[in-house]
Amino acid sequence: MLEAVFWANAGIAIVSALACITRRSPVASALWLIMTLFATAVMFVLLDAHFIAVLQVMVYSGAIMVLFLFVIMLLNLGDQSATDMKGWFGRVVGLALGVFVMVELWVITKVVPVDQIRLPAGELNRMTVDEGAIAPVAQVLYTTYLLPFLLTAILLLAAIAGAVVLAKREV
Amino acid sequence: MIWLAVLLPFLGFLVNGWLSFFRPDAKRAVSVIGVGVLVASFISALAGVVGLAGAVHDAPYIVHMWSWMPVGELQVDLAFQVDELSAVMLMVVTGVGALIHVFSVGYMREDRSYPRYFAYLNLFVFFMLVLILGANFPVLFIGWEGVGLCSYLLIGFWFDDEAKATAGKKAFIMNRIGDFGLLLAMFMIFRAVGSLDFLEVFDAAPAAFVTNGPEITLITLLLFLGCIGKSAQIPLYTWLPDAMAGPTPVSALIHAATMVTAGVYLIARTNILFAMAPVSGAVVALVGAVTALFAATIALKQWDIKKVLAYSTVSQLGFMFVAVGVGAYAAGIFHLVTHAFFKALLFLGAGSVIHVMHHAYHHTHSGEDAQDMRNMGGLRKFMPWTAAVMWVATLAIAGVPGLSGFFSKDQILAEAFARGQGAFLFYVIWALGAVAALLTAFYMTRLMLYTFHGPNRTGEAEAKQLHEAPWVMTGPLVVLAAGSALGGFLNLPHVLPGAGWLEHWLKPVTEGSVPYLSEAHLSAGLEWRLMGLATLIAAAGMIAAWYFLKPDRLGAAKAAPAEAGVQRVLLNNYYVDELYNTLIVRPTDWVSRKVLWRIIDMGAIDGAVVHGAAKVSRLLGWIGTRFQTGNLGTYVVLFVIGVLFVLSAVAG
Amino acid sequence: MLLGPALGVSAILFSIGVLGVLIRRNAIIIFMCVELMLNAVNLSFVALAQQLGTDGQVFVFFVMTVAAAEAAVGFAIIIAIYRHKETLDLQNLNLLRG
């Protein structure tokens, strides 16, 4: 049952991604991307990452994609008359390279170090049931990764300041 | 004590070298130091030799200084070896060297580079002592190269004259050819024996080599190549006459008494190797005999007094090689010693003549050649002492009975003759040597006649300036004259009482080679007859010179007619220099200039490698700029290709 | 276990992202494709976190943060460029050419 849901969402994600990179209109592309992100969020839930799935919907689909659409409308790119797709040569090269990348990644996924597995099957699911969705993540985030977590805060602050400086028309 | 004899000249070199830079006018100090170290060195060497003679010993004394090259199997120590052979050489080098140093004080007195001269001379003696005392081939080689260096420095002593500097270079380069052979011989000896120590090599030689085999023959021939260069034998002899560009005492010390005899010493030192290679021995003897005759013919017609003596030296060295070639090592060393006496005396006498002549010409500002015998004549009236001692030396070299040269040269010819029964070649060598001896008597008498007899051709104004050289110069001459006269008693012939002292003395060094040498014995009657023949040859040569040459009719150099025919060929050294120039120097020059420089260096190295590298990097740079389109799309494509490489590396 | 299928889907999504970057010229769409790739990577993180511990999920958290920061700065740059050149076609943006 769960596997069927997973495969269904995997199919939705792949098809939506392909649609995203082939649509002529940026708005359409953005919407197809949101579709992919939602499907991925469902897969996250199936992979026992409930908290991440929530973040995915809120931050990615919510915040970032809204930003995309906002910029597209701001720059008035909604109705592209001409495609921005490359010519046939560029497409063939891109396709060849893309296939190459996929083959290599596929090969790499086959060499997963199985001997490093620390959590037995179902353990994460049991932890989520016992401790809630957030606690297992938060425990690591606020102990081992406390310093990087603080640094991301500074990074976001710097990004906000940078965005303001770059996008402001006049001082 | 021996190390003191070696060290003192080196200290003298350091002090005099220092003075030449900072106190070039301190001639008195330089004289005291330069001569003093040599005298002290002679005394300490004498003490060492007396100690050697008095002590009972079965093996040579080895003085280990320190370990020099401990490389795996190759163990080379800086060590000196004192045995009977090096003792004889030690006496010659320090004794004759000290006398020549004393003479130099007078001869070089007015030279502005006086301290430099003595520094070089001290350095030379140091290296010569290293050469003869070295206990292994590499140490000998240091000395061998060191004396070559000093020879170069002293031939080109007056380096502001380009011809003299060139003569120095010529000597140096021709010696390199020989050194190449010596080095190869050392390598081959090490490969065969695994050691370069004299004692070990000579002990191991009978087992390590096949008698008369190709390996030992090649080794000895390569050693002989070194000797050919150092001792000025055919075909590498042409540097020695040119070496006369140096100051005359240098010619006496380096190019007559000591350095040029190093080849003879080397063969005597490695006598067991040469005895095991009879073919090489025959080659040595033949080359020596041919050189002796060849150089003697050239000496017949030279006008430069030093050139006569130079060719005479080449000729006498040929005699020594005949001796060591036929296996009469004691006879070779004997002639080396007597030759050191009388040839040093002749050079110093010629030096004193040149000194006085130069002085006279300098006084009248004449541009005449002070070394040309046509400008001399009748000098015995002005320089009686010099004339007398030079006559002693002339009689000795010509082979007048009782004087040193007679005994040593007769012994060499007798030894060659004695081996004629075994192989006809040695009769030929004996005949060549006999003719050379005849010519020797002739050209030496000619030199004396033209220089000291007949009318004076110097010029009237100059004649007033002629006088005897100062005592500091004639003193050493008298001592050397005594040596020339009495040196023969070191090794009297077998038929005389008290015979063969030197031969007996050298027995510990040469006995290892005895089993390999053919028995050579002359009956007493034959020996007497050979001595008689030698006397006859000497007398014939001198009388012929007296009869044919008329010093009265000779004109001064500037009025002399051009030589013609055979005489001109002889005067120009059979045009050997020109021959070498055409056959070797010019083709080498041409190849260097046209092929090595134009094609290899400028074409291949500069063009292909140097400029090529630049061109390749420019090409690569140009290719690189093709990728920099500024188009982000292209960058992304390239970036993804790079990612692919990284991924494939990770995927393995 | 869904580890294998999840990694496979992640690889496919990532390759689609690469393909998009390679064949499109519009800066905003390329930007979206980059987000797609980040998302694919997040998927592998989450899949592996199921067996290797929740560290993987923390990394997803960091990736999202960086993506947000990148989006902010990136859009600021895009707006600046658009004001300057009146286009977002990468073919016309060749100021990098020396």
Side-chain angles (χ1 to χ4, degrees), chain A residues 107-130:
Chain A
V107 172
I108 289 173
T109 61
K110 294 293 154 198
V111 293
V112 170
V114 184
D115 54 331
Q116 288 180 13
I117 290 173
R118 285 181 289 174
L119 293 178
E123 176 71 12
L124 194 59
N125 189 27
R126 196 189 50 75
M127 280 166 71
T128 315
V129 171
D130 288 356

PDB file of all heavy atoms in Angstrom, chain A residues 107-130:
ATOM      1  N   VAL A 107      24.728   4.397 -10.839  1.00  0.00           N
ATOM      2  CA  VAL A 107      25.817   3.511 -10.427  1.00  0.00           C
ATOM      3  C   VAL A 107      26.193   3.793  -8.981  1.00  0.00           C
ATOM      4  O   VAL A 107      26.399   2.883  -8.175  1.00  0.00           O
ATOM      5  CB  VAL A 107      27.034   3.702 -11.350  1.00  0.00           C
ATOM      6  CG1 VAL A 107      28.235   2.941 -10.811  1.00  0.00           C
ATOM      7  CG2 VAL A 107      26.703   3.210 -12.752  1.00  0.00           C
ATOM      8  N   ILE A 108      26.223   5.095  -8.641  1.00  0.00           N
ATOM      9  CA  ILE A 108      26.649   5.445  -7.286  1.00  0.00           C
ATOM     10  C   ILE A 108      25.625   4.961  -6.256  1.00  0.00           C
ATOM     11  O   ILE A 108      25.992   4.487  -5.184  1.00  0.00           O
ATOM     12  CB  ILE A 108      26.866   6.967  -7.186  1.00  0.00           C
ATOM     13  CG1 ILE A 108      28.122   7.351  -7.973  1.00  0.00           C
ATOM     14  CG2 ILE A 108      27.047   7.393  -5.735  1.00  0.00           C
ATOM     15  CD1 ILE A 108      28.347   8.814  -8.079  1.00  0.00           C
ATOM     16  N   THR A 109      24.360   5.054  -6.590  1.00  0.00           N
ATOM     17  CA  THR A 109      23.365   4.593  -5.596  1.00  0.00           C
ATOM     18  C   THR A 109      23.504   3.105  -5.327  1.00  0.00           C
ATOM     19  O   THR A 109      23.067   2.616  -4.297  1.00  0.00           O
ATOM     20  CB  THR A 109      21.934   4.862  -6.085  1.00  0.00           C
ATOM     21  OG1 THR A 109      21.722   4.138  -7.298  1.00  0.00           O
ATOM     22  CG2 THR A 109      21.692   6.320  -6.296  1.00  0.00           C
ATOM     23  N   LYS A 110      24.141   2.374  -6.240  1.00  0.00           N
ATOM     24  CA  LYS A 110      24.311   0.935  -6.049  1.00  0.00           C
ATOM     25  C   LYS A 110      25.455   0.613  -5.095  1.00  0.00           C
ATOM     26  O   LYS A 110      25.600  -0.531  -4.664  1.00  0.00           O
ATOM     27  CB  LYS A 110      24.579   0.244  -7.393  1.00  0.00           C
ATOM     28  CG  LYS A 110      23.405   0.302  -8.327  1.00  0.00           C
ATOM     29  CD  LYS A 110      22.237  -0.512  -7.796  1.00  0.00           C
ATOM     30  CE  LYS A 110      20.932   0.032  -8.349  1.00  0.00           C
ATOM     31  NZ  LYS A 110      19.777  -0.399  -7.578  1.00  0.00           N
ATOM     32  N   VAL A 111      26.278   1.614  -4.795  1.00  0.00           N
ATOM     33  CA  VAL A 111      27.408   1.336  -3.898  1.00  0.00           C
ATOM     34  C   VAL A 111      27.168   1.949  -2.523  1.00  0.00           C
ATOM     35  O   VAL A 111      28.102   2.368  -1.864  1.00  0.00           O
ATOM     36  CB  VAL A 111      28.747   1.823  -4.497  1.00  0.00           C
ATOM     37  CG1 VAL A 111      29.094   1.006  -5.709  1.00  0.00           C
ATOM     38  CG2 VAL A 111      28.680   3.297  -4.817  1.00  0.00           C
ATOM     39  N   VAL A 112      25.916   1.988  -2.104  1.00  0.00           N
ATOM     40  CA  VAL A 112      25.619   2.496  -0.764  1.00  0.00           C
ATOM     41  C   VAL A 112      26.305   1.606   0.274  1.00  0.00           C
ATOM     42  O   VAL A 112      26.214   0.391   0.197  1.00  0.00           O
ATOM     43  CB  VAL A 112      24.102   2.498  -0.529  1.00  0.00           C
ATOM     44  CG1 VAL A 112      23.784   2.779   0.934  1.00  0.00           C
ATOM     45  CG2 VAL A 112      23.428   3.506  -1.420  1.00  0.00           C
ATOM     46  N   PRO A 113      27.025   2.228   1.204  1.00  0.00           N
ATOM     47  CA  PRO A 113      27.719   1.418   2.218  1.00  0.00           C
ATOM     48  C   PRO A 113      26.730   0.793   3.193  1.00  0.00           C
ATOM     49  O   PRO A 113      26.372   1.380   4.209  1.00  0.00           O
ATOM     50  CB  PRO A 113      28.636   2.420   2.900  1.00  0.00           C
ATOM     51  CG  PRO A 113      28.003   3.743   2.652  1.00  0.00           C
ATOM     52  CD  PRO A 113      27.270   3.647   1.370  1.00  0.00           C
ATOM     53  N   VAL A 114      26.299  -0.404   2.908  1.00  0.00           N
ATOM     54  CA  VAL A 114      25.276  -1.069   3.704  1.00  0.00           C
ATOM     55  C   VAL A 114      25.763  -1.344   5.121  1.00  0.00           C
ATOM     56  O   VAL A 114      25.001  -1.320   6.077  1.00  0.00           O
ATOM     57  CB  VAL A 114      24.850  -2.382   3.017  1.00  0.00           C
ATOM     58  CG1 VAL A 114      23.709  -3.043   3.774  1.00  0.00           C
ATOM     59  CG2 VAL A 114      24.467  -2.115   1.580  1.00  0.00           C
ATOM     60  N   ASP A 115      27.098  -1.567   5.248  1.00  0.00           N
ATOM     61  CA  ASP A 115      27.630  -1.942   6.562  1.00  0.00           C
ATOM     62  C   ASP A 115      27.592  -0.782   7.553  1.00  0.00           C
ATOM     63  O   ASP A 115      27.851  -0.974   8.734  1.00  0.00           O
ATOM     64  CB  ASP A 115      29.049  -2.477   6.428  1.00  0.00           C
ATOM     65  CG  ASP A 115      29.932  -1.489   5.685  1.00  0.00           C
ATOM     66  OD1 ASP A 115      29.393  -0.743   4.853  1.00  0.00           O
ATOM     67  OD2 ASP A 115      31.160  -1.461   5.935  1.00  0.00           O
ATOM     68  N   GLN A 116      27.301   0.462   7.042  1.00  0.00           N
ATOM     69  CA  GLN A 116      27.275   1.584   7.977  1.00  0.00           C
ATOM     70  C   GLN A 116      25.866   1.844   8.542  1.00  0.00           C
ATOM     71  O   GLN A 116      25.663   2.803   9.275  1.00  0.00           O
ATOM     72  CB  GLN A 116      27.779   2.848   7.284  1.00  0.00           C
ATOM     73  CG  GLN A 116      29.274   2.805   7.044  1.00  0.00           C
ATOM     74  CD  GLN A 116      29.756   4.049   6.364  1.00  0.00           C
ATOM     75  OE1 GLN A 116      29.033   5.029   6.276  1.00  0.00           O
ATOM     76  NE2 GLN A 116      30.981   4.002   5.895  1.00  0.00           N
ATOM     77  N   ILE A 117      24.942   0.998   8.193  1.00  0.00           N
ATOM     78  CA  ILE A 117      23.560   1.222   8.646  1.00  0.00           C
ATOM     79  C   ILE A 117      23.498   1.091  10.161  1.00  0.00           C
ATOM     80  O   ILE A 117      23.970   0.124  10.743  1.00  0.00           O
ATOM     81  CB  ILE A 117      22.616   0.207   7.960  1.00  0.00           C
ATOM     82  CG1 ILE A 117      22.518   0.568   6.470  1.00  0.00           C
ATOM     83  CG2 ILE A 117      21.253   0.203   8.614  1.00  0.00           C
ATOM     84  CD1 ILE A 117      21.762  -0.438   5.670  1.00  0.00           C
ATOM     85  N   ARG A 118      22.959   2.127  10.779  1.00  0.00           N
ATOM     86  CA  ARG A 118      22.911   2.132  12.238  1.00  0.00           C
ATOM     87  C   ARG A 118      21.514   1.909  12.806  1.00  0.00           C
ATOM     88  O   ARG A 118      21.360   1.419  13.910  1.00  0.00           O
ATOM     89  CB  ARG A 118      23.480   3.453  12.765  1.00  0.00           C
ATOM     90  CG  ARG A 118      25.002   3.521  12.674  1.00  0.00           C
ATOM     91  CD  ARG A 118      25.500   4.809  13.225  1.00  0.00           C
ATOM     92  NE  ARG A 118      25.158   5.911  12.322  1.00  0.00           N
ATOM     93  CZ  ARG A 118      25.383   7.192  12.639  1.00  0.00           C
ATOM     94  NH1 ARG A 118      25.868   7.492  13.832  1.00  0.00           N
ATOM     95  NH2 ARG A 118      25.095   8.143  11.808  1.00  0.00           N
ATOM     96  N   LEU A 119      20.521   2.374  12.021  1.00  0.00           N
ATOM     97  CA  LEU A 119      19.152   2.222  12.534  1.00  0.00           C
ATOM     98  C   LEU A 119      18.511   0.992  11.918  1.00  0.00           C
ATOM     99  O   LEU A 119      18.468   0.881  10.688  1.00  0.00           O
ATOM    100  CB  LEU A 119      18.317   3.456  12.175  1.00  0.00           C
ATOM    101  CG  LEU A 119      18.730   4.763  12.865  1.00  0.00           C
ATOM    102  CD1 LEU A 119      17.845   5.892  12.360  1.00  0.00           C
ATOM    103  CD2 LEU A 119      18.634   4.645  14.359  1.00  0.00           C
ATOM    104  N   PRO A 120      18.010   0.066  12.744  1.00  0.00           N
ATOM    105  CA  PRO A 120      17.302  -1.082  12.177  1.00  0.00           C
ATOM    106  C   PRO A 120      16.005  -0.634  11.504  1.00  0.00           C
ATOM    107  O   PRO A 120      15.511   0.476  11.747  1.00  0.00           O
ATOM    108  CB  PRO A 120      17.026  -1.975  13.374  1.00  0.00           C
ATOM    109  CG  PRO A 120      17.370  -1.191  14.579  1.00  0.00           C
ATOM    110  CD  PRO A 120      18.127   0.022  14.184  1.00  0.00           C
ATOM    111  N   ALA A 121      15.473  -1.481  10.659  1.00  0.00           N
ATOM    112  CA  ALA A 121      14.281  -1.123   9.904  1.00  0.00           C
ATOM    113  C   ALA A 121      13.128  -0.781  10.866  1.00  0.00           C
ATOM    114  O   ALA A 121      12.916  -1.440  11.864  1.00  0.00           O
ATOM    115  CB  ALA A 121      13.868  -2.302   8.999  1.00  0.00           C
ATOM    116  N   GLY A 122      12.455   0.329  10.550  1.00  0.00           N
ATOM    117  CA  GLY A 122      11.306   0.709  11.367  1.00  0.00           C
ATOM    118  C   GLY A 122      11.649   1.493  12.619  1.00  0.00           C
ATOM    119  O   GLY A 122      10.762   1.976  13.328  1.00  0.00           O
ATOM    120  N   GLU A 123      12.925   1.618  12.916  1.00  0.00           N
ATOM    121  CA  GLU A 123      13.349   2.303  14.139  1.00  0.00           C
ATOM    122  C   GLU A 123      12.927   3.758  14.145  1.00  0.00           C
ATOM    123  O   GLU A 123      12.394   4.283  15.133  1.00  0.00           O
ATOM    124  CB  GLU A 123      14.867   2.172  14.283  1.00  0.00           C
ATOM    125  CG  GLU A 123      15.459   2.913  15.465  1.00  0.00           C
ATOM    126  CD  GLU A 123      15.100   2.256  16.785  1.00  0.00           C
ATOM    127  OE1 GLU A 123      14.595   1.114  16.775  1.00  0.00           O
ATOM    128  OE2 GLU A 123      15.304   2.894  17.834  1.00  0.00           O
ATOM    129  N   LEU A 124      13.180   4.435  12.966  1.00  0.00           N
ATOM    130  CA  LEU A 124      12.854   5.855  12.886  1.00  0.00           C
ATOM    131  C   LEU A 124      11.345   6.058  13.038  1.00  0.00           C
ATOM    132  O   LEU A 124      10.897   7.022  13.679  1.00  0.00           O
ATOM    133  CB  LEU A 124      13.356   6.423  11.549  1.00  0.00           C
ATOM    134  CG  LEU A 124      13.407   7.936  11.427  1.00  0.00           C
ATOM    135  CD1 LEU A 124      14.320   8.520  12.500  1.00  0.00           C
ATOM    136  CD2 LEU A 124      13.888   8.337  10.058  1.00  0.00           C
ATOM    137  N   ASN A 125      10.604   5.145  12.452  1.00  0.00           N
ATOM    138  CA  ASN A 125       9.146   5.215  12.547  1.00  0.00           C
ATOM    139  C   ASN A 125       8.712   5.092  14.010  1.00  0.00           C
ATOM    140  O   ASN A 125       7.868   5.860  14.489  1.00  0.00           O
ATOM    141  CB  ASN A 125       8.544   4.082  11.718  1.00  0.00           C
ATOM    142  CG  ASN A 125       7.044   4.230  11.594  1.00  0.00           C
ATOM    143  OD1 ASN A 125       6.536   5.358  11.672  1.00  0.00           O
ATOM    144  ND2 ASN A 125       6.342   3.135  11.445  1.00  0.00           N
ATOM    145  N   ARG A 126       9.362   4.107  14.745  1.00  0.00           N
ATOM    146  CA  ARG A 126       9.019   3.905  16.150  1.00  0.00           C
ATOM    147  C   ARG A 126       9.372   5.148  16.965  1.00  0.00           C
ATOM    148  O   ARG A 126       8.623   5.598  17.824  1.00  0.00           O
ATOM    149  CB  ARG A 126       9.786   2.688  16.662  1.00  0.00           C
ATOM    150  CG  ARG A 126       9.252   2.125  17.970  1.00  0.00           C
ATOM    151  CD  ARG A 126      10.181   1.082  18.519  1.00  0.00           C
ATOM    152  NE  ARG A 126      11.573   1.541  18.569  1.00  0.00           N
ATOM    153  CZ  ARG A 126      12.033   2.412  19.471  1.00  0.00           C
ATOM    154  NH1 ARG A 126      11.228   2.930  20.373  1.00  0.00           N
ATOM    155  NH2 ARG A 126      13.295   2.782  19.464  1.00  0.00           N
ATOM    156  N   MET A 127      10.574   5.772  16.646  1.00  0.00           N
ATOM    157  CA  MET A 127      10.989   6.987  17.353  1.00  0.00           C
ATOM    158  C   MET A 127       9.964   8.094  17.146  1.00  0.00           C
ATOM    159  O   MET A 127       9.621   8.834  18.061  1.00  0.00           O
ATOM    160  CB  MET A 127      12.356   7.460  16.844  1.00  0.00           C
ATOM    161  CG  MET A 127      13.525   6.690  17.442  1.00  0.00           C
ATOM    162  SD  MET A 127      15.046   6.987  16.533  1.00  0.00           S
ATOM    163  CE  MET A 127      15.396   8.645  16.997  1.00  0.00           C
ATOM    164  N   THR A 128       9.462   8.224  15.888  1.00  0.00           N
ATOM    165  CA  THR A 128       8.480   9.274  15.612  1.00  0.00           C
ATOM    166  C   THR A 128       7.206   9.044  16.400  1.00  0.00           C
ATOM    167  O   THR A 128       6.619   9.990  16.956  1.00  0.00           O
ATOM    168  CB  THR A 128       8.170   9.297  14.097  1.00  0.00           C
ATOM    169  OG1 THR A 128       9.391   9.216  13.399  1.00  0.00           O
ATOM    170  CG2 THR A 128       7.433  10.554  13.718  1.00  0.00           C
ATOM    171  N   VAL A 129       6.838   7.770  16.487  1.00  0.00           N
ATOM    172  CA  VAL A 129       5.619   7.462  17.247  1.00  0.00           C
ATOM    173  C   VAL A 129       5.822   7.777  18.718  1.00  0.00           C
ATOM    174  O   VAL A 129       4.972   8.389  19.367  1.00  0.00           O
ATOM    175  CB  VAL A 129       5.244   5.983  17.038  1.00  0.00           C
ATOM    176  CG1 VAL A 129       4.101   5.570  17.988  1.00  0.00           C
ATOM    177  CG2 VAL A 129       4.850   5.743  15.590  1.00  0.00           C
ATOM    178  N   ASP A 130       6.999   7.416  19.254  1.00  0.00           N
ATOM    179  CA  ASP A 130       7.255   7.618  20.680  1.00  0.00           C
ATOM    180  C   ASP A 130       7.476   9.074  21.046  1.00  0.00           C
ATOM    181  O   ASP A 130       6.922   9.598  22.001  1.00  0.00           O
ATOM    182  CB  ASP A 130       8.495   6.830  21.114  1.00  0.00           C
ATOM    183  CG  ASP A 130       8.200   5.336  21.147  1.00  0.00           C
ATOM    184  OD1 ASP A 130       7.038   4.985  20.918  1.00  0.00           O
ATOM    185  OD2 ASP A 130       9.150   4.570  21.383  1.00  0.00           O
TER     186      ASP A 130
END
